[in-house]
């Protein structure tokens, strides 16, 4: 009888303990479960539900542009504990350093230039959440094993940026700021669609050059979309992919009217005008003959890539490519207003000149 009672009681205890054990081993909350008061569930851009602390105070960021986007949504750099080394390089060369001085000493060694995560280093940062790329499921799995929530983002289109901003609003509990930024982006898209510059009869050929190695924006790049929406034609429109290395001969055949130089490389208009690049001859290209080679602007991040300031990049491109069509705004005023509204920072004329690369580009009209 005693043995029977012992077995009976043991079974009941086991049934009571098992759910507790399983609950302690998962980092997600089921649809019928009542979430802990200190836990929230956020659905990332791959559709994965991720459980994390309700109040996020420490965030590590693998994707390069997302450091600046976290800052824009949160209105502060205080929660950022780790960033990509390329994001740090961009920070050092931009006005972001003025707006977010505390990032000067932020960790940028927990991830390498190829987005490989050092899990020992990231654990030392004690992040409440880590932002990763959507193509890094193994990283998410490993972080989960370490008890660190990871949210995945998609990147490459204007819509991806808006969806990512909304996701950050949920993570950082800043939905109003996130929606305000999204509205700004959507209003910009509507403006450019209404202009319908892609239908203009005379569209200059625009070459978007990423680096000295002749890597150009191809037909899958968001840069092609921005060129089209601002009244140009991508000189490399028949080049497959987002960023593709081409030859000088191909560029000479395209003979672009305008060349835009990326901030992912130190290349300048002067390098092109004076043929400083070994093995390259730019002297017979229309854009060079007409002095229409421009370094892209750089705000709190490189304007080349989709980012929180992309609407401003498109306004810059519009007045560069089709000034007669895009003549109903003053870019400098819009830039000031954006920084005042979203960063609570008043730009000086000198800072605007630096952002727009006025001196390098010799474009005093901006």
């Amino acid at each position: 009888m005693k043995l029977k009672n012992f077995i009976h009681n043991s079974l009941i205890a086991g049934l009571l303990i098992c759910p507790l054990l399983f609950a302690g081993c998962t980092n997600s909350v089921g649809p019928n479960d009542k979430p802990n008061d200190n836990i929230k569930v956020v659905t990332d851009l791959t559709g994965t539900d991720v459980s994390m602390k309700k109040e996020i105070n420490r965030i590590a960021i693998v994707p390069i542009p997302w450091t600046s986007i976290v800052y824009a949504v949160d209105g502060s750099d205080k929660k950022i504990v780790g960033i990509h080394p390329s994001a740090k390089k961009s920070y050092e060369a931009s006005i972001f350093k003025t707006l977010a001085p505390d990032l000067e000493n932020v960790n940028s060694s927990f991830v390498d230039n190829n987005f490989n995560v050092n899990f020992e280093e990231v654990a030392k940062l004690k992040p409440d959440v880590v932002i990763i790329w959507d193509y890094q499921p193994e990283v998410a799995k490993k972080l989960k094993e370490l008890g660190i929530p990871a949210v995945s983002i998609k990147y490459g289109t204007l819509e991806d940026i808006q969806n990512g901003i909304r996701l950050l609003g949920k993570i950082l509990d800043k939905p109003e700021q996130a929606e305000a930024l999204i509205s700004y982006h959507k209003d910009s898209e509507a403006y450019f669609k209404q202009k319908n510059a892609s239908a203009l009869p005379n569209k200059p050929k625009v070459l978007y050059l990423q680096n000295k190695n002749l890597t150009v924006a191809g037909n899958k790049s968001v840069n092609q979309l921005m060129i089209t929406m601002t009244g140009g034609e991508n000189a490399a429109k028949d080049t497959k992919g987002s960023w593709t290395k081409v030859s000088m001969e191909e560029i000479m055949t395209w003979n672009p009217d305008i060349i835009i130089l990326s901030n992912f490389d130190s290349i300048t208009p002067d390098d092109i005008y004076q043929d400083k690049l070994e093995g390259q001859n730019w002297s017979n290209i229309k854009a060079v003959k007409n002095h229409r080679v421009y370094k892209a602007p750089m705000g709190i991040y490189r304007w080349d890539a989709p980012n929180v300031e992309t609407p401003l990049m498109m306004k810059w491109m519009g007045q560069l490519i089709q000034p007669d069509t895009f003549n109903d705004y003053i870019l400098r005023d819009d830039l000031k207003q954006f920084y005042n509204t979203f960063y609570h920072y008043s730009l000086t004329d000198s800072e605007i000149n630096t952002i727009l690369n006025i001196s390098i580009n010799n474009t005093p009209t901006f």
Side-chain angles (χ1 to χ4, degrees), residues 5-110:
N5 287 338
F6 173 77
I7 294 172
H8 178 264
N9 292 335
S10 296
L11 286 171
I12 292 174
L15 289 170
L16 290 171
I17 291 170
C18 281
L20 295 175
L21 289 173
F22 280 108
C25 293
T26 182
N27 72 342
S28 62
V29 180
N32 299 318
D33 296 331
K34 184 178 180 180
N36 186 299
D37 287 343
N38 297 318
I39 298 295
K40 64 184 175 186
V41 179
V42 173
T43 304
D44 70 15
L45 299 193
T46 66
T48 303
D49 290 338
V50 183
S51 297
M52 64 187 71
K53 291 180 180 179
K54 184 169 277 188
E55 185 175 341
I56 298 297
N57 291 308
R58 300 178 65 81
I59 183 167
I61 308 159
V62 171
I64 305 170
W66 289 83
T67 300
S68 58
I69 301 173
V70 167
Y71 174 85
V73 172
D74 198 40
S76 170
D77 60 356
K78 304 300 182 187
K79 297 175 182 176
I80 301 171
V81 297
I83 66 176
H84 190 279
S86 181
K88 185 66 178 294
K89 185 177 180 180
S90 174
Y91 165 85
E92 294 287 352
S94 73
I95 195 169
F96 198 12
K97 192 171 182 178
T98 301
L99 272 65
D102 289 346
L103 290 183
E104 175 70 29
N105 299 313
V106 74
N107 182 293
S108 59
S109 61
F110 80 98

Side-chain angles (χ1 to χ4, degrees), residues 10-263:
S10 296
L11 286 171
I12 292 174
L15 289 170
L16 290 171
I17 291 170
C18 281
L20 295 175
L21 289 173
F22 280 108
C25 293
T26 182
N27 72 342
S28 62
V29 180
N32 299 318
D33 296 331
K34 184 178 180 180
N36 186 299
D37 287 343
N38 297 318
I39 298 295
K40 64 184 175 186
V41 179
V42 173
T43 304
D44 70 15
L45 299 193
T46 66
T48 303
D49 290 338
V50 183
S51 297
M52 64 187 71
K53 291 180 180 179
K54 184 169 277 188
E55 185 175 341
I56 298 297
N57 291 308
R58 300 178 65 81
I59 183 167
I61 308 159
V62 171
I64 305 170
W66 289 83
T67 300
S68 58
I69 301 173
V70 167
Y71 174 85
V73 172
D74 198 40
S76 170
D77 60 356
K78 304 300 182 187
K79 297 175 182 176
I80 301 171
V81 297
I83 66 176
H84 190 279
S86 181
K88 185 66 178 294
K89 185 177 180 180
S90 174
Y91 165 85
E92 294 287 352
S94 73
I95 195 169
F96 198 12
K97 192 171 182 178
T98 301
L99 272 65
D102 289 346
L103 290 183
E104 175 70 29
N105 299 313
V106 74
N107 182 293
S108 59
S109 61
F110 80 98
V111 58
D112 67 17
N113 281 308
N114 294 316
F115 305 105
N116 298 306
V117 175
N118 182 321
F119 296 103
E120 184 177 347
E121 284 296 314
V122 78
K124 291 178 184 177
L125 297 176
K126 299 180 180 179
D128 296 323
V129 66
V130 178
I131 298 176
I132 61 174
W133 292 116
D134 60 330
Y135 60 77
Q136 295 181 298
E138 292 304 314
V139 173
K141 181 181 178 182
K142 179 63 176 177
L143 288 170
K144 183 177 179 180
E145 290 171 359
L146 294 173
I148 302 171
V151 293
S152 301
I153 59 101
K154 294 182 179 180
Y155 182 73
T157 69
L158 301 181
E159 186 179 6
D160 287 337
I161 284 290
Q162 293 168 21
N163 290 336
I165 289 172
R166 182 171 287 113
L167 174 63
L168 287 177
K170 294 175 182 176
I171 292 170
L172 297 165
D173 197 25
K174 293 290 180 70
E176 295 85 2
Q177 175 79 344
E179 292 304 321
L181 281 164
I182 292 168
S183 293
Y184 186 89
H185 278 240
K186 287 188 177 296
D187 288 346
S188 172
E189 278 188 78
Y191 168 80
F192 282 97
K193 286 179 181 177
Q194 178 266 326
K195 285 290 185 179
N196 196 25
S198 61
L200 292 172
N202 298 312
K203 294 189 285 291
K205 287 188 287 185
V206 181
L207 181 71
Y208 212 113
L209 188 65
Q210 188 184 52
N211 54 41
K212 299 180 184 74
N213 298 322
L214 304 184
T215 302
V216 302
N219 60 5
K220 297 296 183 182
S221 67
V222 71
N223 305 78
Q224 171 156 308
L225 173 64
M226 291 193 288
I227 290 169
T228 301
M229 290 182 73
T230 53
E233 176 185 292
N234 184 9
K237 62 181 171 47
D238 295 322
T239 302
K240 295 180 180 180
S242 294
W243 294 99
T244 304
K245 187 175 179 180
V246 298
S247 67
M248 193 70 228
E249 288 72 22
E250 286 176 287
I251 293 174
M252 292 174 73
T253 300
W254 296 332
N255 198 15
D257 300 292
I258 297 171
I259 298 173
I260 298 175
L261 306 177
S262 163
N263 278 297

